[in-house]
Amino acid sequence: MLFKKTLLTLTTLTVIGCSGAALAQEPPPGPSKELSSSPESDRSAPPLDSPAPATSRVPDQEVGKAIERFRTTGEAAVLTQSATVVFPFGKSQPEVKCTPLRACDIELQAGEIVMGVALGDTERWVTSPLASGDLSRPTPHVIVKPQGYDLATNLVIATDRRTYHLSLISPSKTEIEKAETAYLRHVGFYYPQEVVELWANADQQRERLEKDSQTTMLSQVSAVSVDRLNFKYTIKGDRKIPWLPQTVFDDGEHVYIQLPSAASSSDLPALLVEVEGGGMGISNYRIRGSWYIVDGLFPRAELVVGVGRKRKKVEILNRGLAAGGS
């Protein structure tokens, strides 16, 4: 269904990264000479005290497709885009490969607050906090740096929303020299289970509102004598329009127009009614769930969305009042 950073003030960074001994002091400079023969020279390396800039993000539509696949198949894919890898939270144990003299950027969800960070090996690994984005809803980052090659440990990040468990690996120097992509500069997460649950809750709420709306309408109409109800309306419009009315009738005082449930996922149309002189004008109406309730009767009405070439229209004719009705 998802998707665009400035640094926080020192105070905010302190709150985000307050993890006690887990956030170790910045280590002395590593043995830079060890990387002099590597295909990745210091000339092209990102700054050692900050993460490499994430210039390539996984597009929101790709994340949306992955979540849709998860909903239908139960499989959550790991997504990649250039130097960024995005893991599905809770569906795998992310393995993050880092290397000395490089900062691994672990990006969390915007607005999430880091409560604490714990490393399995605090002697040979260092973490530090960082944040980006809107000051009112910052995106937290945890920067990870190994102090040597051929190391492995684990990392736990506790936030106000969830707990992340990651495996950290610093490959051997030989592996780094052979493969330029042997370490990750930037990792992030998407949250397929949570999104699918939100979708399910939204569907349930929509169904409940639809049922409540239907019950309300039936109770309101049931007070009117059946012989007063007029269903002599003609609906003209493209059958592919998602808000094409399903039912139209009146009780002599109000016109009731029911849209399909699919209309909730699109822009709701404006209602125009024919006024004296044959022009179209705005009438008093209100929306209850999928129903439009119009005060008074009309010979002809239009439901309209968009303008110009994008304009879509559905015409409603009261066959008892409209001169052009059939």
Side-chain angles (χ1 to χ4, degrees), residues 220-240:
Q220 182 172 340
V221 175
S222 64
V224 180
S225 176
V226 174
D227 58 9
R228 287 182 55 190
L229 299 181
N230 172 36
F231 288 89
K232 295 181 179 180
Y233 284 83
T234 299
I235 302 170
K236 296 182 178 181
D238 187 344
R239 297 296 171 182
K240 296 180 180 180

Side-chain angles (χ1 to χ4, degrees), residues 7-295:
L7 295 180
L8 284 178
T9 61
L10 180 59
T11 302
T12 306
L13 284 174
T14 303
V15 172
I16 289 178
C18 56
S19 59
L23 295 182
Q25 296 295 319
E26 189 71 18
S32 58
K33 292 187 295 183
E34 292 184 6
L35 287 180
S36 59
S37 60
S38 171
E40 292 195 16
S41 67
D42 291 341
R43 181 177 51 197
S44 61
L48 300 182
D49 293 328
S50 62
T55 55
S56 299
R57 301 283 180 180
V58 174
D60 291 344
Q61 59 266 32
E62 293 301 319
V63 176
K65 292 178 182 178
I67 294 175
E68 185 61 41
R69 285 195 298 270
F70 171 75
R71 181 167 68 169
T72 56
T73 67
E75 298 178 359
V78 176
L79 308 177
T80 60
Q81 177 74 26
S82 186
T84 298
V85 176
V86 179
F87 295 100
F89 175 80
K91 300 305 173 182
S92 65
Q93 173 85 7
E95 184 178 271
V96 182
K97 291 184 178 181
C98 305
T99 191
L101 302 182
R102 298 294 185 271
C104 280
D105 176 10
I106 301 173
E107 181 177 336
L108 308 182
Q109 193 176 39
E112 199 166 15
I113 299 175
V114 176
M115 310 297 289
V117 178
L119 273 168
D121 181 352
T122 59
E123 295 294 326
R124 296 178 294 179
W125 292 80
V126 175
T127 61
S128 57
L130 196 66
S132 64
D134 190 342
L135 292 176
S136 64
R137 192 171 179 266
T139 298
H141 302 250
V142 176
I143 309 305
V144 178
K145 299 184 201 176
Q147 300 307 294
Y149 296 100
D150 204 12
L151 303 176
T153 189
N154 70 307
L155 173 67
V156 179
I157 306 172
T159 77
D160 61 334
R161 299 177 185 174
R162 54 186 69 88
T163 301
Y164 299 82
H165 295 268
L166 304 94
S167 297
L168 301 180
I169 296 176
S170 176
S172 66
K173 182 180 177 182
T174 301
E175 184 177 351
I176 292 294
E177 291 175 344
K178 288 183 177 179
E180 185 177 348
T181 58
Y183 71 94
L184 301 179
R185 300 187 181 201
H186 177 232
V187 302
F189 294 87
Y190 71 104
Y191 308 86
Q193 186 66 49
E194 296 176 20
V195 174
V196 168
E197 290 174 359
L198 284 175
W199 286 349
N201 291 337
D203 289 341
Q204 292 173 3
Q205 184 178 15
R206 184 168 57 250
E207 291 174 1
R208 184 170 61 253
L209 290 174
E210 183 71 22
K211 183 177 180 180
D212 292 345
S213 172
Q214 186 77 16
T215 301
T216 300
M217 292 301 305
L218 290 175
S219 64
Q220 182 172 340
V221 175
S222 64
V224 180
S225 176
V226 174
D227 58 9
R228 287 182 55 190
L229 299 181
N230 172 36
F231 288 89
K232 295 181 179 180
Y233 284 83
T234 299
I235 302 170
K236 296 182 178 181
D238 187 344
R239 297 296 171 182
K240 296 180 180 180
I241 293 177
W243 39 267
L244 187 76
Q246 292 180 321
T247 305
V248 181
F249 66 91
D250 70 71
D251 61 7
E253 297 180 358
H254 303 88
V255 180
Y256 303 90
I257 305 172
Q258 184 186 25
L259 304 187
S261 57
S264 61
S265 61
S266 61
D267 293 333
L268 290 178
L271 176 67
L272 303 176
V273 301
E274 185 177 305
V275 296
E276 188 175 353
M280 304 301 292
I282 298 176
S283 177
N284 292 330
Y285 68 93
R286 54 200 174 276
I287 300 175
R288 291 184 180 175
S290 61
W291 291 87
Y292 280 50
I293 306 173
V294 187
D295 293 336

